[in-house]
Amino acid sequence: MLSYIHLSNDVLLQPVFLHCLSGFLHLLLLVAVPLSLVWKNFTTRVRDESKEKHDDTLFKTTVFCSLGVSAFSFLLCLFSYFYWYSSGWSEEELVTLLDLVLKTVAWGVVCVCLNKGFFSSGERRFSFLFRAWCVLYLSVSCYCFVVDIVVISERRVALPTQYLVCDVVFTCVGLLFCYVGYFVKSKGHVREKENNGIQEPLLNGGTNEDDVLRSKENRGGDTVTPFSYAGILSLLTFSWVGPLIAVGNKKTLDLEDVPQLDSRDSVVGAFPGFRDKLEADCGTINSVTTLKLVKSLVMSAWKEILFTAFLALLNTLASYVGPYLIDSFVQYLNGQRLYENQGYVLVCAFFFAKIVECLTQRHWFFRLQQVGLRVRALLVTMIYNKALTLSCQSKQGQTSGEIINFMTVDAERVGVFSWYMHDLWMVALQVTLALLILYKNLGLASIAAFVATILVMLANVPLGSLQEKFQKKLMESKDARMKATSEILRNMKILKLQGWEMKFLAKITELRKTEQGWLKKFVYTAAMTTFVFWGAPTFVSVVTFGTCMIIGIPLESGKILSALATFRILQEPIYGLPDTISMIAQTKVSLDRIASFLRLDDLPSDVVEKLPRGSSDSAIEVVDGNFSWELSSPNPTLQNINLKVFHGMRVAVCGTVGSGKSTLLSCVLGEVPKISGILKVCGTKAYVTQSPWIQSGKIEDNILFGKQMDREKYEKVLEACSLKKDLEILSFGDQTVIGERGINLSGGQKQRIQIARALYQDADIYLFDDPFSAVDAHTGSHLFKECLLGLLCSKTVVYVTHQVEFLPAADLIVVMKNGKITQCGKYADLLNSGADFMELVGAHKKALSTLDSLDGATVPNEISTLEQDLNVSGMHGFKEESSKDEQNGETNKSEPQGQLVQEEEREKGKVEFSVYWKCITTAYGGALVPFILLAQILFQGLQIGSNYWMAWATPISTDVEPPVEGTTLIVVYVCLAIGSSFCILARAMLLVTAGYKTATILFNKMHFCIFRAPMSFFDSTPSGRILNRASTDQSALDTEIPYQIASFAFIVIQLLGIIGVMSQAAWQVFVVFIPVIAVSLWYQQYYIPAARELSRLVGVCKAPNIQHFSETISGTSTIRSFDQQSRFQETNMKLTDGYSRPKFNIAGAMEWLCFRLDMLSSITFAFSLIFLISIPAGLIDPGLAGLAVTYGLNLNMIQAWMIWNLCNMENKIISVERILQYTCIPSEPPLLVDENRPDPSWPSNGEVDIQDLQVRYAPHLPLVLRGITCKFPGGLKTGIVGRTGSGKSTLIQTLFRIVEPAAGQIMIDNINISSIGLHDLRSRLSIIPQDPTMFEGTVRNNLDPLEEYTDDQIWEALDKCQLGDEVRKKEGKLDSKVSENGENWSMGQRQLVCLWRVLLKKSKVLVLDEATASVDTATDNLIQQTLRQHFTDSTVITIAHRITSVLDSDMVLLLSQGLIEEYDTPTKLLENKSSYFARLVAEYTMSFNSNFEKSDDH
């Protein structure tokens, strides 16, 4: 463009004129742009053009073209400045520089204006003024080009190549702009295309953020990721992720903003093929080995693995170009020039190698993360599917906590291993290449380097095996802790009622201490490994240079610098090797665990012979059946079972507690292993469990359970299950979201929803496991009449029941005792013949003896109107509970206000500095931090010092005299090396100590706060969220976060060291370095909002996954009975993909950033090289310049690593943020109030005085108890009755201060319970809760968790509640095992254990909360008798559905809608025929008598 030859004969051909013309033209543009903008604002209203999004490729090209010209001019300006810097300035050179500066600014302005649409005009792309300027620009460019061509051809003068390149570039740009300006018409407001993949390579300038937001709906959760159809340029530069980062920069990202995965990465698309391959390899999943599992995983992603291997190879080769060329570069600076332009060739080689290294590394890392996500998703799906098919025996060996750990920890770890996949073979390649370079420079001394490297690697073997061992133990102890945590969270209400929560917290703390023991060993071993390997390069270089001295190889600074650069690159695989080996060890442990889980026995398919519908006259047939939960046990659970049930029969199963009734139903479902016999089932099945299994989600979804909505049928089912009135109360109706395990429903409501689910399925065979025990008498008889006798009158129904009144309606009654069917027949026949049956019915008649005075025939005709008067299903069931629903009172835009379970809370915006500060200062108040930083600064200083010493103290070439003797050279180097190694040791040990202490303190704080949280917190927080923090987030804090923060600090120190060394050689590098750092930080700030929210989304998307998993594990028998496995598997796959989506985009966004940072640091490096070759020889010491290049080779890696670490630290610190969230949960009132401790004998009388008690579940909700005043006299029995939801349970919760009164008070023996500590209160009261609970462990732990009683006391109490013989039968007696949730004990036996607990405690106040719901009448009578015998002088408060349970009470309290309806002695209430209580009793006896009459008709 511009000629350097003075053409004196014609002014128009002189360079000064050309530069002035060009500069004037660009200055004209700079003046015209602001003037035209001002004019536009005055003459027209603000139009939408500025927001217009041009979608065609040509327009985008003009934007990037202008940006490119600006950057090109800037680099040319810098080059010219330094080129002329040493030789002084001429007038021509000043004009040239001014022209280049104006060009840089003008084209930058053009880029911005085009991007913002300022140059648009009507139907044309550019305004008239800008088009005119383009013509002028093209004319000037062509003119300059012609002048230069004339100079070359006519004057035969050599013109520097770069100027001809400039001429060509500027002329082409002029042509492009004129073409777009005059020949391309605007299409008006063009709608934004879905990302077509041809996007901007570096800045996302073309993507206008407002448009990105407007098109959120198109690109969000409904569209596939642009990655799957991106163009080559977009893929290369990761621009396909640009729009998402732009959205994140504009607003807080939500899951709907994140696009769907490509079918290759989605588990829905990838899993079927993977499963088929694995099954083809192994035959069945049950015979899978770790090796076969690995093979199938590799085959599922073999293309990506091969491609990344190729990229890794290219990357390794490119990374060694620098060290290989350093010696040549130092010799060039020393004046040994082999050919013309050698300097430029060397610079180009360095730069090109850097670009290749950067591109390959970015794509290698991204593709490996893609593989990791796919592998994790496949494993999670395998584990989930396996959990659905596990046999009951296998399930007993694996608790839900352990199975969840396979998913959250092991599958995650195998996914993370993808990062390390190629490391082992790359170490071999890198060592080989390093040795070749060393051999070229140092000859035979390279053998010493090889031996030293091998020694260092061998030192890793014992450390690696130790790490593997500790890792395995750490995982096992973590499993045990998670298992206990999971169980405790499930039963938190019981713990609070019993006042046991701190004891169980101590149990968790003990388990954590064991885990910490292994964690400590693990992290200190890791610290030793760090010391060995940070010392390794220094050790290798000392050995190598020492060998050179001994065998007399001359050391020159060029060769030494080349060797040091090689050691520095070799350092990476050696540093990485311990991580790789540790990761291989951890992954192997995880794969072994997963494979052994997949090998567990499935539910045997041959237990039940399934016959197609209509192929047999019998629905269920059992011939000589022997079944056992424990195949190894000598006594089968069920023996000699013979049973034939025809289609349409109603079969009742009854018997005492533990007789095998529930097991019989489980046999029909195929859940119990068969020892011998035949079991045939004809038709589809529906099953209702004894303890309800409800999914979290809408009530409607629970009832439909995967079926299509049939409104008419749905309404009928709701009517039959008495659910209509419950739903009317709710503002959301059947759209109400149920909390985890139905926590915001009463027991009766859960049971009725469960029955509704079964009815809606329209199956052939219905199996009911005592579903009427959880509902009151009236609702029970309504359900029996409407469901079993109504909707299911033509179906086969088998129902287990303890209520004798439901037996006469059965076509067949099966009586069970000790695992055998002792009697079988119709009601009337059994009454005459059966001793066992008479025992049950006799017990019931005895219970009714109190009612002898009441004549059933004289019951007033009000029973028909009872439904209107008393709300059949208890309208208030949900009122009381829906008030719970709103406890956290948050509103959600998409959902109406008041749902119980809210979206998981996540912090928004930047992670507060206070989070980092707390993390840093938790351990020892941050006292170790300065010492850790000091150790790193000393290490860096000594490292640079030792390398500087080697560069300075060795000659440039053999003919130069060395400044110091060989011995001095090595001794000083060794001393510096030893010093730096000790700094590393100190740093590693201090860091591990601080990290370990931080993890311990935060763990204890979080768990203390969780255990002291009020019950409302557990009602509204799914346990998955708490478990996620206790496992995943705690793991990150244990082993990652402290090291991540430290790593960032260390890299900053390292970067400052490198800049220091480079500026020693060439301070001018700051001219480029400062703007590059500024741009890098801008990029980082632009990227971080999106990355941070994506990381938070990962945390939030993980909890539903875990929750769905744990719900499935607890409900497998229900899911299998309805044959719904495939639907649950699909849901799991969708949730897994939901978790992978933000993870995939985080990986893409990270590489988007790193690619741009790598490019910028490569430019910095290239610039410093150009500067070094431009300086005249002798101005700078070649050794020092070589040292600067040696460090500069690492610059891009260190700079990108720093920003990557910063982002990673922000992402990881979110785990600390989430843990800290749970250290701030509002706490319950204090456990002990020291100044107000009650007397040890309190309560001595047990009088409970309730005064104007008002209770609400949250400040903004209506009252549930609306002013209750009554007195329960000390030592008397008081029964509390009322419809479901009348406030009975709320009253009990207030007595135990699970809920605090809004007004009024409760006095026990003249002490206000609100004035004393919770522990003092709860430990002096006793309760037998509605849901009997047992914990995993031993019988003794369950009976006496606080270890307060002797064995004799325990046995005595066991005998009192008829459990003594049962426990003596067991092998370990008091030490015999209890499985998770006490599942190896029947429901009735668990209830007796709860009775046992209160017998030991002998409190003055005892509460029975529907305590006998799960037991037969005989056992109920036994419990009542035991209580009468041992609690004669105690105040007993009974909530009961069975009227008989409260008939012998001294007082009866009847609640309705939170108010006292009646309160008197039973006799007085029964005398008044119009009293509510009399009507309830009459209704109960009527249903019983009518059933007896039916039996007489038979």
Side-chain angles (χ1 to χ4, degrees), residues 692-748:
W693 177 75
I694 300 285
Q695 274 188 286
S696 48
K698 292 176 184 165
I699 293 174
E700 181 190 275
D701 296 341
N702 266 285
I703 296 172
L704 296 181
F705 207 57
K707 290 263 184 187
Q708 288 298 312
M709 168 61 88
D710 174 345
R711 184 52 67 181
E712 190 185 341
K713 179 171 149 191
Y714 183 72
E715 294 298 328
K716 273 186 193 165
V717 167
L718 290 182
E719 191 64 56
C721 295
S722 306
L723 281 168
K724 279 262 174 99
K725 292 236 171 81
D726 294 271
L727 297 178
E728 281 167 20
I729 294 301
L730 289 159
S731 50
F732 306 104
D734 58 6
Q735 300 303 303
T736 299
V737 174
I738 303 173
E740 196 176 15
R741 302 186 311 282
I743 201 150
N744 50 328
L745 303 179
S746 70

Side-chain angles (χ1 to χ4, degrees), residues 778 781 785 854-870 872 1283 1473 1475-1476 1478-1487:
H778 176 80
S781 48
K785 195 169 81 188
L854 190 70
D855 182 4
T858 62
V859 173
N861 282 336
E862 291 149 10
I863 289 179
S864 59
T865 60
L866 195 66
E867 296 194 8
Q868 287 87 33
D869 294 351
L870 275 174
V872 173
R1283 294 279 179 236
K1473 295 287 188 286
S1475 76
Y1476 267 35
R1479 282 152 66 187
L1480 275 173
V1481 172
E1483 177 193 324
Y1484 183 75
T1485 48
M1486 250 192 92
S1487 71

Side-chain angles (χ1 to χ4, degrees), residues 1041-1104:
I1041 291 165
Y1043 312 104
Q1044 192 76 54
I1045 295 173
S1047 180
F1048 173 69
F1050 300 161
I1051 278 169
V1052 170
I1053 293 167
Q1054 218 171 333
L1055 187 66
L1056 292 172
I1058 289 179
I1059 295 164
V1061 171
M1062 286 179 75
S1063 60
Q1064 277 294 305
W1067 62 265
Q1068 289 83 354
V1069 79
F1070 280 115
V1071 176
V1072 176
F1073 193 78
I1074 289 165
V1076 163
I1077 283 287
V1079 175
S1080 298
L1081 288 171
W1082 179 84
Y1083 264 127
Q1084 191 259 344
Q1085 290 306 310
Y1086 181 76
Y1087 152 90
I1088 205 71
R1092 187 172 47 230
E1093 295 313 320
L1094 284 169
S1095 283
R1096 285 182 174 139
L1097 282 174
V1098 168
V1100 170
C1101 292
K1102 196 166 189 178

Side-chain angles (χ1 to χ4, degrees), residues 1040-1291:
E1040 291 177 49
I1041 291 165
Y1043 312 104
Q1044 192 76 54
I1045 295 173
S1047 180
F1048 173 69
F1050 300 161
I1051 278 169
V1052 170
I1053 293 167
Q1054 218 171 333
L1055 187 66
L1056 292 172
I1058 289 179
I1059 295 164
V1061 171
M1062 286 179 75
S1063 60
Q1064 277 294 305
W1067 62 265
Q1068 289 83 354
V1069 79
F1070 280 115
V1071 176
V1072 176
F1073 193 78
I1074 289 165
V1076 163
I1077 283 287
V1079 175
S1080 298
L1081 288 171
W1082 179 84
Y1083 264 127
Q1084 191 259 344
Q1085 290 306 310
Y1086 181 76
Y1087 152 90
I1088 205 71
R1092 187 172 47 230
E1093 295 313 320
L1094 284 169
S1095 283
R1096 285 182 174 139
L1097 282 174
V1098 168
V1100 170
C1101 292
K1102 196 166 189 178
N1105 224 328
I1106 297 174
Q1107 193 185 329
H1108 180 250
F1109 207 158
S1110 61
E1111 272 180 357
T1112 303
I1113 292 165
S1114 59
T1116 39
S1117 53
T1118 304
I1119 295 166
R1120 293 196 283 230
S1121 66
F1122 287 99
D1123 291 323
Q1124 291 271 358
Q1125 294 97 312
S1126 58
R1127 181 170 71 87
F1128 274 77
Q1129 286 166 356
E1130 276 169 32
T1131 307
N1132 174 62
M1133 289 204 242
K1134 279 180 192 153
L1135 287 170
T1136 305
D1137 277 347
Y1139 171 77
S1140 298
R1141 268 161 63 194
K1143 286 283 271 191
F1144 175 82
N1145 285 286
I1146 282 176
M1150 177 66 83
E1151 300 309 331
W1152 176 93
L1153 176 71
C1154 287
F1155 170 77
R1156 284 151 180 75
L1157 297 182
D1158 279 356
M1159 286 298 157
L1160 288 167
S1161 53
S1162 297
I1163 290 166
T1164 312
F1165 180 55
F1167 174 79
S1168 60
L1169 291 179
I1170 288 170
F1171 177 75
L1172 288 171
I1173 63 167
S1174 307
I1175 294 171
L1179 269 185
I1180 190 168
D1181 175 14
L1184 185 57
L1187 186 65
V1189 176
T1190 310
Y1191 274 97
L1193 282 172
N1194 267 16
L1195 182 66
N1196 72 317
M1197 191 182 80
I1198 297 285
Q1199 190 182 328
W1201 191 236
M1202 179 187 83
I1203 301 287
W1204 186 87
N1205 249 293
L1206 180 60
C1207 300
N1208 218 25
M1209 183 170 74
E1210 274 235 329
N1211 295 345
K1212 289 277 187 224
I1213 201 77
I1214 289 165
S1215 284
V1216 176
E1217 182 181 62
R1218 285 157 57 83
I1219 286 172
L1220 288 172
Q1221 262 177 5
Y1222 275 20
T1223 58
C1224 308
I1225 307 165
S1227 176
E1228 279 189 308
L1231 292 175
L1232 299 172
V1233 178
D1234 287 329
E1235 60 274 12
N1236 209 357
R1237 297 289 304 268
D1239 190 74
S1241 61
W1242 178 86
S1244 52
N1245 187 23
E1247 181 184 81
V1248 180
D1249 186 6
I1250 301 169
Q1251 300 168 5
D1252 188 30
L1253 184 67
Q1254 297 177 21
V1255 176
R1256 52 163 58 98
Y1257 279 102
H1260 62 285
L1261 295 174
L1263 291 167
V1264 180
L1265 296 181
R1266 300 183 295 167
I1268 289 181
T1269 303
C1270 63
K1271 188 180 282 189
F1272 300 155
L1276 296 185
K1277 284 185 72 180
T1278 304
I1280 302 178
V1281 288
R1283 294 279 179 236
T1284 303
S1286 55
K1288 307 185 296 289
S1289 291
T1290 305
L1291 180 58

Side-chain angles (χ1 to χ4, degrees), residues 11 65 124 578 900 1425:
V11 174
C65 194
R124 295 284 176 195
L900 170 79
Q1425 189 185 333

Side-chain angles (χ1 to χ4, degrees), residues 150 211 325 463 551 632 948 994 1084 1211 1322-1323 1346 1452:
V150 167
D211 279 319
L325 294 177
L463 287 170
I551 61 176
S632 56
Y948 189 84
Q1084 191 259 344
N1211 295 345
R1322 291 170 185 170
S1323 61
L1346 303 185
V1452 171

Side-chain angles (χ1 to χ4, degrees), residues 227 351 471 501 510 614 772 832 847 874 970 1140 1152 1180 1296 1311 1375 1463 1495:
F227 171 75
F351 185 66
Q471 174 68 27
E501 69 265 49
E510 273 308 304
F772 310 116
N832 302 329
I970 292 298
S1140 298
W1152 176 93
I1180 190 168
F1296 281 84
I1311 289 184
D1375 293 318
Y1463 183 45
S1495 71

